[in-house]
Amino acid sequence: MKQLKSLLGLTLLGALMFTACSDKKEQKQTDASEIPVSREMLAELTSPPHVPTPVGRRKAKKLIVKMEILEKEGEMTDGVKYMYWTFGGTVPGSFIRTRVGDEVEFHLQNHPDNKLPHNIDMHAVTGPGGGAESSFVAPGHEKTFSFKTLNPGLYVYHCATAPVGMHIANGMYGLILVEPEGGLPPVDKEYYVMQGDFYTKGKNGERGLQPFDMQKAVDENADYVVFNGKVGALTGDNALTAKVGETVRLFVGNGGPGLVSSFHVIGEIFDKVHVEGGDLVNTNVQTTVIPAGGAAMVEFRVDVPGTFILVDHSIFRAFNKGALGMLKVEGEENKTIYSGEIRDDIYLPEGPGIQQMPTTDEIIASEIPAKSFEEQMEFGKQAYMQTCFACHQAEGQGIPNAFPPLAKSDYLNADVNRAIGIVLHGKTGEITVNGQKYNSVMTRQMLSPDEIANVLTYVYNSWGNNKTVVTKAMVEQVRNSK
Ligand SMILES: [Cu+2]
């Protein structure tokens, strides 16, 4: 009974709180719509990665935004051209900075040289289509509509002309910030970064002017995933910069059209994230999800110098499709926060025994057998670079006192069956190679007989060795003789 009572009490309390909350929200919205505007002002628009001056303490204004649509050729990456459709001549489009209560008079201008009609849907707009319906504009025309900013936050805008996906895929998106009354807390550096995925007829890196590929876009099979419209927009000389001790705020958007971003900065932790660009602030975040058509504000203080890498942590997008940017931080080292490399020791976790690995019988021979000596050399080199290279080094030179050389190795050249046995079973105990003693551990390598034949053929026919050709039959014979 007592329980029931308290349950009832809780429900009542909950209901009360709920009405209280929704009341507050309603009030806030009416308030914003009633904020009076004084005077007119032409909005400062900036190209990425720059953002306009903060609103600070300024009063709400009638803010005139003039945005020009340009269809223009640009470079996706070295040698790859793409026909971008842009708001303001850049991908992402010009950054718009407003404050809550502003009355934005939006002029959308479609350049006469453009081929297509376009429009704009701004997620900061309360109204049908986010402005899309009132802004549909043919080349050589200008459309004007106006809206009042009711909710503070960071919002995406994009073209919404059919086929919508195609207009977005070609680069028609950007960010509009609505600052709260009194502005966001000041920081030292602010930047504008926006991810987008691109779909081209040719595959990643294929040269020439690459047309948009509708089927790949429908399949969400992107050839490029990039920050700020192209590979390398934020790397090398284009890197973002800051000084040790400064606070950095990134306005990060995701235009899509298809992919969700797992935004991460390698070597930094976000002190604050305005989740989804709204009021909710999360602290101490490693990776923040930015939905297609969404945004986030991330803030952090840079404490040590170095190059910090911005990535979509769906990591092949970063290293293979372009979603990689840089923040270069200059200033004094702080060895307490980050020491740098102190020592490089040899690490052999296996200890004195040889680690148990699956036997070669358990390894399914996935390889197609080599058909010629040339193929054996080619496959062998691949296997070498994947497995042996880490210890024996690229030219088989080894590492003094740790890994014996395979180049001109008297030990190797003296006995091919012994060498096969080493790769099959691993090796431990003292050996002498070219007059040097080694007493270490080589673990058994997880290779099929074909792969062992190829890799040893490669080793024997490189770096001054005796040119033995090792066959699968030889490997199998050594394996079965044990
Ligand atoms: Cu468009």
Side-chain angles (χ1 to χ4, degrees):
M1 189 60 208
K2 196 172 154 215
Q3 248 179 357
L4 192 73
K5 239 188 190 162
S6 62
L7 197 72
L8 205 70
L10 268 175
T11 327
L12 267 175
L13 191 72
L16 268 172
M17 271 168 59
F18 181 74
T19 37
C21 280
S22 57
D23 262 8
K24 201 173 143 210
K25 171 113 198 279
E26 215 134 83
Q27 218 175 351
K28 199 175 94 193
Q29 293 219 346
T30 10
D31 278 352
S33 70
E34 279 163 13
I35 295 174
V37 295
S38 63
R39 290 201 244 123
E40 260 184 35
M41 178 177 150
L42 188 65
E44 176 196 5
L45 300 184
T46 58
S47 300
H50 304 292
V51 296
T53 326
V55 300
R57 312 217 62 84
R58 83 159 165 82
K59 295 251 179 318
K61 290 213 164 117
K62 180 171 169 189
L63 191 69
I64 320 264
V65 175
K66 294 200 167 166
M67 181 75 87
E68 185 186 40
I69 296 167
L70 289 167
E71 300 167 1
K72 63 181 225 188
E73 197 181 290
E75 195 165 57
M76 181 70 70
T77 186
D78 288 343
V80 180
K81 297 269 193 298
Y82 193 81
M83 193 63 188
Y84 292 96
W85 299 349
T86 74
F87 286 108
T90 55
V91 179
S94 310
F95 196 98
I96 310 167
R97 193 161 193 160
T98 70
R99 58 147 282 173
V100 93
D102 275 350
E103 191 184 303
V104 181
E105 187 182 281
F106 203 95
H107 298 249
L108 190 62
Q109 307 161 331
N110 195 346
H111 195 280
D113 292 346
N114 291 345
K115 302 217 162 36
L116 293 155
H118 300 280
N119 64 5
I120 194 165
D121 167 351
M122 273 176 289
H123 295 177
V125 169
T126 308
E133 291 174 18
S134 325
S135 60
F136 186 76
V137 57
H141 288 257
E142 171 175 326
K143 278 279 172 75
T144 308
F145 68 104
S146 101
F147 65 95
K148 195 156 176 84
T149 50
L150 301 182
N151 304 70
L154 182 62
Y155 299 93
V156 167
Y157 66 76
H158 62 87
C159 182
T161 303
V164 179
M166 179 181 181
H167 284 250
I168 296 177
N170 284 341
M172 299 197 79
Y173 46 78
L175 292 179
I176 171 169
L177 173 67
V178 182
E179 292 198 61
E181 168 106 48
L184 290 167
V187 291
D188 298 308
K189 291 276 159 65
E190 290 184 328
Y191 292 111
Y192 173 20
V193 176
M194 198 159 182
Q195 185 170 319
D197 27 296
F198 287 86
Y199 305 83
T200 52
K201 276 271 169 326
K203 56 182 194 303
N204 181 297
E206 209 166 301
R207 299 173 81 81
L209 179 65
Q210 289 296 330
F212 167 72
D213 188 312
M214 189 66 166
Q215 192 53 51
K216 284 183 180 174
V218 171
D219 296 342
E220 298 181 7
N221 178 20
D223 297 285
Y224 299 89
V225 182
V226 297
F227 295 128
N228 291 3
K230 57 177 287 189
V231 179
L234 296 176
T235 63
D237 290 344
N238 304 324
L240 307 176
T241 58
K243 293 197 184 69
V244 166
E246 286 186 327
T247 44
V248 178
R249 176 182 288 136
L250 303 178
F251 297 102
V252 193
N254 184 6
L259 305 178
V260 168
S261 172
S262 302
F263 186 71
H264 176 80
V265 176
I266 301 174
E268 262 302 336
I269 295 147
F270 305 142
D271 298 327
K272 275 201 213 173
V273 174
H274 278 260
V275 179
E276 293 165 6
D279 287 349
L280 180 67
V281 172
N282 196 359
T283 52
N284 305 327
V285 176
Q286 57 189 313
T287 300
T288 193
V289 174
I290 307 182
M297 288 182 263
V298 310
E299 295 173 21
F300 50 90
R301 203 184 101 111
V302 286
D303 298 296
V304 294
T307 300
F308 297 83
I309 313 284
L310 286 59
V311 294
D312 178 339
H313 215 297
S314 286
I315 210 73
F316 281 106
R317 297 180 189 167
F319 295 109
N320 301 71
K321 296 186 171 183
L324 189 148
M326 291 176 181
L327 169 68
K328 288 191 179 160
V329 179
E330 285 182 353
E332 289 285 299
E333 305 254 13
N334 183 335
K335 297 280 185 192
T336 321
I337 295 176
Y338 186 72
S339 70
E341 179 173 316
I342 298 173
R343 292 168 50 155
D344 177 2
D345 294 331
I346 307 286
Y347 172 58
L348 288 170
E350 294 82 10
I354 291 178
Q355 202 181 21
Q356 275 310 305
M357 290 284 212
T359 65
T360 41
D361 305 321
E362 287 162 27
I363 300 162
I364 304 137
S366 55
E367 313 300 283
I368 312 152
K371 287 189 211 68
S372 61
F373 173 74
E374 284 71 30
E375 269 193 0
Q376 259 203 306
M377 288 295 281
E378 188 192 323
F379 296 167
K381 182 172 187 182
Q382 284 167 9
Y384 185 86
M385 295 314 282
Q386 276 165 23
T387 41
C388 326
F389 157 82
C391 300
H392 293 289
Q393 306 297 295
E395 301 295 319
Q397 72 271 33
I399 294 180
N401 304 320
F403 304 115
L406 299 180
K408 289 203 186 84
S409 160
D410 56 1
Y411 187 92
L412 173 84
N413 290 312
D415 188 342
V416 63
N417 287 341
R418 181 173 64 186
I420 293 171
I422 289 174
V423 181
L424 271 172
H425 308 300
K427 174 87 185 101
T428 186
E430 189 178 286
I431 57 172
T432 305
V433 183
N434 298 345
Q436 290 289 313
K437 284 197 166 58
Y438 294 86
N439 192 352
S440 186
V441 187
M442 173 169 149
T443 51
R444 138 190 310 189
Q445 301 298 302
M446 287 172 60
L447 299 174
S448 68
D450 263 319
E451 288 172 317
I452 293 176
N454 294 342
V455 78
L456 280 175
T457 299
Y458 172 71
V459 169
Y460 272 111
N461 288 273
S462 307
W463 321 307
N465 288 329
N466 71 6
K467 302 201 188 303
T468 305
V469 172
V470 180
T471 63
K472 180 182 177 186
M474 287 161 74
V475 176
E476 280 173 340
Q477 206 195 332
V478 174
R479 189 182 61 182
N480 298 337
S481 73
K482 224 206 149 190

